[in-house]
Amino acid sequence: GEDQTEESGTVGIPGFWLTCLTSHPSISELITEEDVPALEHLTDITCAYDDNFTSFSLTFHFKENEFFTNTTLTKTYEVSPDLLDEKAPALSHTSCSEIEWKTGKDLTVTETVKKQKAKSGKNKGQVKTVVTTAPKPSFFHYFGMPMTEEEEAEAEENDDEDAPQVKLSMEEDYDVGHSIRTSLIPEAVLWYTGEAIEEEDDEDDEGLYDDAEDDDEDEEEEESEEDK
């Protein structure tokens, strides 16, 4: 809601949420250069839970832009038994807003215009324009439904480099939602400043140092035993 937005103090910073999204490793890989001008109009991302904590909705708030007419885009995940369960809850259903793209501005497809000349019939010789569309990578596929199990199996079989996979698998889709809910929103300022990225790197490094220290201790123990 508006109160939350004002308290977070992020609305006044141009490109705040775009910077957060492009800093987050599991989200940034979905964002293409063409997505950036649209995501510059993103003013807030909020999360709401239902009363029983069996679902959560992520709402992306946009100011007026040249790409689509929606002011909000929402993605909802329903889980069982609930989000408070100690074990990872199972995803039971996903739903999302439909993006109302403005003419020629759909970032999820490539439009190709072809001119075709009728070869026979009463329109013979007449030229008509045909527009064909093909899907292309874009963050905005996140607001579509993830692949079904059948589509996932088919994608694995046809591992075709010429036709890039644009839709997310159910697992990838939920991982993005989970990252936004548990990491991006609560630590937004740290993702914006880059501190969250440094923290992740430090955690990775710590693991290395722990192993090295353990090795040193083992060596010291061995030496002291030899001295005896």
Side-chain angles (χ1 to χ4, degrees), residues 14-146:
F16 177 89
W17 287 101
L18 169 61
T19 303
C20 296
L21 291 170
T22 51
S23 299
H24 201 292
S26 60
I27 302 166
S28 60
E29 58 193 27
L30 304 176
I31 298 170
T32 69
E33 272 184 51
E34 290 181 11
D35 292 331
V36 170
L39 290 171
E40 282 174 347
H41 296 277
L42 177 63
T43 59
D44 204 3
I45 305 174
T46 54
C47 181
Y49 299 88
D50 74 343
D51 293 341
N52 304 318
F53 282 90
T54 53
S55 76
F56 66 94
S57 297
L58 299 170
T59 301
F60 289 65
H61 303 256
F62 290 88
K63 57 187 176 189
E64 198 174 319
N65 63 79
E66 65 190 272
F67 298 94
F68 43 80
T69 57
N70 315 61
T71 54
T72 58
L73 294 172
T74 300
K75 182 120 184 186
T76 300
Y77 296 93
E78 292 174 28
V79 298
S80 63
D82 58 46
L83 292 160
L84 306 176
D85 192 57
E86 285 178 14
K87 295 173 189 159
L91 179 64
S92 53
H93 184 67
T94 308
S95 57
C96 45
S97 304
E98 187 177 337
I99 303 177
E100 306 289 343
W101 294 105
K102 294 183 179 178
T103 309
K105 292 293 185 181
D106 189 340
L107 295 167
T108 63
V109 296
T110 303
E111 288 190 355
T112 311
V113 180
K114 290 180 181 170
K115 289 191 161 44
Q116 289 182 347
K117 193 180 272 191
K119 290 176 182 168
S120 59
K122 60 180 182 181
N123 296 330
K124 187 178 179 183
Q126 282 189 7
V127 176
K128 66 171 181 174
T129 304
V130 179
V131 179
T132 57
T133 60
K136 66 177 177 183
S138 168
F139 173 75
F140 288 93
H141 283 291
Y142 175 64
F143 297 102
M145 296 301 283

